[in-house]
Amino acid sequence: MATLFIADLHLCQEEPAITAGFLRFLAGSARQAEALYILGDLFEAWIGDDDPTALHREIAAALKKLTDSGVPCYFIHGNRDFLLGPRFARESGMILLPESQVLDLYGRRILIMHGDTLCIDDKEYQEFRAQVHKPWLQKLFLALPLFIRQRIAARMRAGSKAANSSKSLAIMDVNPGAVVAEMEQQRVQWLIHGHTHRPAIHELTANGQAAFRVVLGAWHSEGSMVKVTAEDVELIPFPL
Ligand code: LP5
Ligand code: MN
């Protein structure tokens, strides 16, 4: 049996090939799995569960088919879809998890998260994150008419693109000290995350022993998943 992890699909109407690839994945590999974990940024931008975009309904229906078939699906929010809420979770059958979680899989303790919280050198982003994670601000935002929310999200995306163009790659990557601190606090030798779009398995030392940080790739020209079995942890790219 295998447990699958994916992240950073950034689904949107402008990228139908990625959506098609995800629908194939849900009806194929995911059906054979024991469970599916989506570690954030499933959507390019999420401005509320009441957004009537056809793509969202299509994805909810496909996820529901998977969960109804007996494969549980868990979701951790990303920095693009942190507003995904209980209504979409109900429609899709997904179970919403807190921002980090330790799993015990086939005897291996594995910490999972989106990965943005590890990018602590990106002070501007962490400040932005702290603001948009304030419950009162989210409540206020979600009460705005949809077209205003769309405009604000577009402004934020443009602001983010502009800010990123002048940030170094190192600043936008995880901070090694933050990784070790998290892994030692949770007493794990395995961490799986996304966000940085730099797929790799990094070996490091945590808790005085060998430890592994597995980074999921974004779905652009190909898909990316991590497959955990009793024997192995594999990072697998696959055609869409
Ligand atoms: O997302 P990406 O890959 O471009 O960059 C991220 C960080 N950026 C973000 C911002 C998101 O892209 C915005 C998504 C909005 C969708 C949901 C809207 C819900 C609104 C809810 C309000 C309560 O996450 C980026 C990191 C990068 O990852 C790497 O880690 O660097 O961080 C930033 O770009 C932050 C900037 O440094 C500072 C913020 C600029 C935003 C300007 C806001 C203007 C809004 C005006 C609205 C009235
Ligand atoms: Mn992200």
Side-chain angles (χ1 to χ4, degrees):
M1 282 309 258
T3 299
L4 303 183
F5 298 81
I6 56 172
D8 301 294
L9 287 78
H10 293 268
L11 298 177
C12 59
Q13 275 167 324
E14 293 72 28
E15 298 282 0
I18 300 176
T19 300
F22 182 49
L23 295 175
R24 263 195 298 278
F25 170 82
L26 289 179
S29 318
R31 281 285 184 113
Q32 316 303 322
E34 203 165 336
L36 171 67
Y37 288 83
I38 304 176
L39 305 185
D41 290 359
L42 173 61
F43 293 101
E44 173 73 354
W46 195 264
I47 57 170
D49 291 1
D50 57 335
D51 183 343
T53 305
L55 169 74
H56 300 171
R57 305 282 79 75
E58 191 182 5
I59 297 300
L63 284 163
K64 190 75 173 59
K65 249 184 160 173
L66 176 75
T67 54
D68 282 350
S69 79
V71 181
C73 179
Y74 302 93
F75 180 81
I76 290 186
H77 295 98
N79 59 299
R80 303 290 193 88
D81 50 17
F82 57 86
L83 287 178
L84 192 148
R87 178 167 152 191
F88 188 80
R90 220 175 19 253
E91 280 175 29
S92 61
M94 288 199 302
I95 296 161
L96 303 183
L97 295 179
E99 67 182 40
S100 73
Q101 178 93 16
V102 176
L103 308 176
D104 193 337
L105 285 183
Y106 322 106
R108 229 189 277 266
R109 274 170 65 79
I110 304 180
L111 175 62
I112 56 170
M113 57 178 69
H114 179 55
D116 57 327
T117 51
L118 297 169
C119 301
I120 57 169
D121 296 327
D122 192 344
K123 300 268 185 315
E124 273 180 65
Y125 169 64
Q126 294 302 335
E127 176 54 31
F128 170 80
R129 186 179 192 278
Q131 296 300 331
V132 296
H133 276 257
K134 286 188 170 145
W136 69 266
L137 189 61
Q138 294 189 356
K139 220 172 160 186
L140 190 74
F141 178 82
L142 291 172
L144 295 170
L146 211 60
F147 79 97
I148 297 188
R149 279 181 268 159
Q150 272 155 355
R151 279 190 202 168
I152 293 174
R155 284 274 285 279
M156 285 180 173
R157 289 289 310 117
S160 181
K161 275 185 195 154
N164 291 4
S165 65
S166 61
K167 287 180 196 171
S168 72
L169 280 176
I171 277 184
M172 289 192 286
D173 204 350
V174 300
N175 173 289
V179 169
V180 173
E182 276 287 341
M183 295 182 80
E184 294 194 338
Q185 195 190 341
Q186 303 295 342
R187 304 181 320 280
V188 296
Q189 302 312 117
W190 288 90
L191 165 64
I192 303 177
H193 72 82
H195 182 65
T196 60
H197 302 189
R198 300 179 211 190
I201 301 185
H202 300 275
E203 193 171 346
L204 60 138
T205 301
N207 306 294
Q209 301 166 44
F212 301 89
R213 178 169 71 89
V214 185
V215 188
L216 284 155
W219 292 34
H220 289 308
S221 47
E222 56 184 13
S224 175
M225 67 168 153
V226 168
K227 183 175 177 181
V228 178
T229 59
E231 294 78 36
D232 215 353
V233 177
E234 293 169 276
L235 175 61
I236 306 173
F238 57 93
L240 290 173

